[in-house]
Amino acid sequence: MAAVAYLDHAASTPMHAEVVEAMREFFDGCYANPTGAHRMAREARRAGDDARDILAEALGARPGEIVFCGSGTEADNLAVFGAAAGSGGTVVCSAIEHPAVLRPVEQLGGRVVGVDSAGMLDLDALAAALDGDVRLVSVMLANNENGVVWSLEEVAEVMARRAPGALLHTDAVQAFPWLDVAARAAPADLVSVSAHKFGGPKGVGALVVRDGVALQPQIVGGGQEAERRGGTPNVAGIVGMGRAAQITVARRAETVERVGRLRDRLADGLRAALEGVTESGVRPASGAGMPVDRSAKVAGSCHLCFEGIESEALLFLAERGGVYASAASSCASGAEHPSHVLAAMGYPRSLARGSLRLSLGAASSEADVETALAVLPPAVAQLRRAAA
């Protein structure tokens, strides 16, 4: 395959070479079921326990509070359905949650809270949605489309006043590559993450379940994960997730600084090259020298809307030029309807249909940015001419 500018890291990141190497033994050497009693099974179990220790430290949890799952989606589902099951209580989430949270909340007849035009949670609306019947509040730490980061401390303060008995869940899937989740998610009772968002393998996620939180398992029959999630553990995936978390934490500060500069170069370059570009999740700058304030976003997020085009056509031209991106979240990309995130932020349908999510990651380079800056402006111009 020819070299490409991969700008879809929010959908999935390349695995670190060290992660691939760490997993290799559990494909062709130590392949036993870790629930067994013989030596190979014990070795597999020990490797999983070591990874659990690493992930627990990275998330500010105890090893016994980690529940390994098959994905971030499963972790979110387990948090919402597991906490709500049998409680008779109400569940609440924001309007821009990932569908892995939003759909379960809707299915349970829960309440959905709005956001403002910059994608920030409406805390007054949250307070109005809370009462003594609320069992769970789920708000993401960083949004998967616009990259906006929320303060869980502020959410927890509102909950303490309005629904002191409720649990707080956060989807930290997009946050972990960029933020100190151990500190930022400390107020949360339940925390979801997914390995393939930070250099680990696909098919493995985790849910932090703080001590004392009652959670009804959604997959039963095996008794694994302290009776909270049945099924034979994916040892190779768990080992890979642990190694990826270790690498991410060790390199996070440098990655955030470097990638943040690349993101700014990309966003500023596209805004300068084209008219009719709206960048989501930002506010006007308070000082000179910067066109917008991106301090509320994670470093890898560049989400733009281009007036007068359709994103699917732009993605086609971008791919022809070697730029790989997406229109919205990976689960919605290619869908006929514009992003529910942009709709909740009040974007008109005519503008939202021209959205483009350019997401950078630890492997992103200056060459990726320069390729995108060379390919995207003429592609947008071509589409606008064709539509005129």
Side-chain angles (χ1 to χ4, degrees), residues 56-113:
E57 183 176 0
L59 295 174
R62 295 192 318 102
E65 294 175 328
I66 300 294
V67 177
F68 285 112
C69 304
S71 63
T73 293
E74 186 193 334
D76 283 344
N77 272 227
L78 177 57
V80 178
F81 286 125
S87 71
T90 302
V91 291
V92 177
C93 75
S94 85
I96 65 171
E97 294 300 310
H98 188 279
V101 167
L102 188 58
R103 297 295 174 262
V105 169
E106 290 174 342
Q107 185 173 323
L108 291 168
R111 302 167 187 164
V112 178
V113 178

Side-chain angles (χ1 to χ4, degrees), residues 172-256:
V173 168
Q174 293 292 339
F176 190 82
W178 312 108
L179 304 175
D180 181 357
V181 172
R184 298 267 192 154
D189 302 288
L190 300 151
V191 183
S192 303
V193 290
S194 182
H196 75 105
K197 305 296 189 179
F198 54 87
K202 298 176 183 65
V204 58
L207 178 67
V208 174
V209 182
R210 307 287 187 197
D211 284 343
V213 172
L215 195 74
Q216 183 167 308
Q218 301 301 293
I219 301 177
V220 298
Q224 290 86 357
E225 298 300 303
E227 302 283 349
R228 295 170 297 192
R229 195 270 189 184
T232 301
N234 174 6
V235 177
I238 289 169
V239 167
M241 186 176 195
R243 185 71 181 104
Q246 195 173 43
I247 293 168
T248 298
V249 171
R251 302 176 185 174
R252 187 186 279 142
E254 182 276 331
T255 298
V256 167

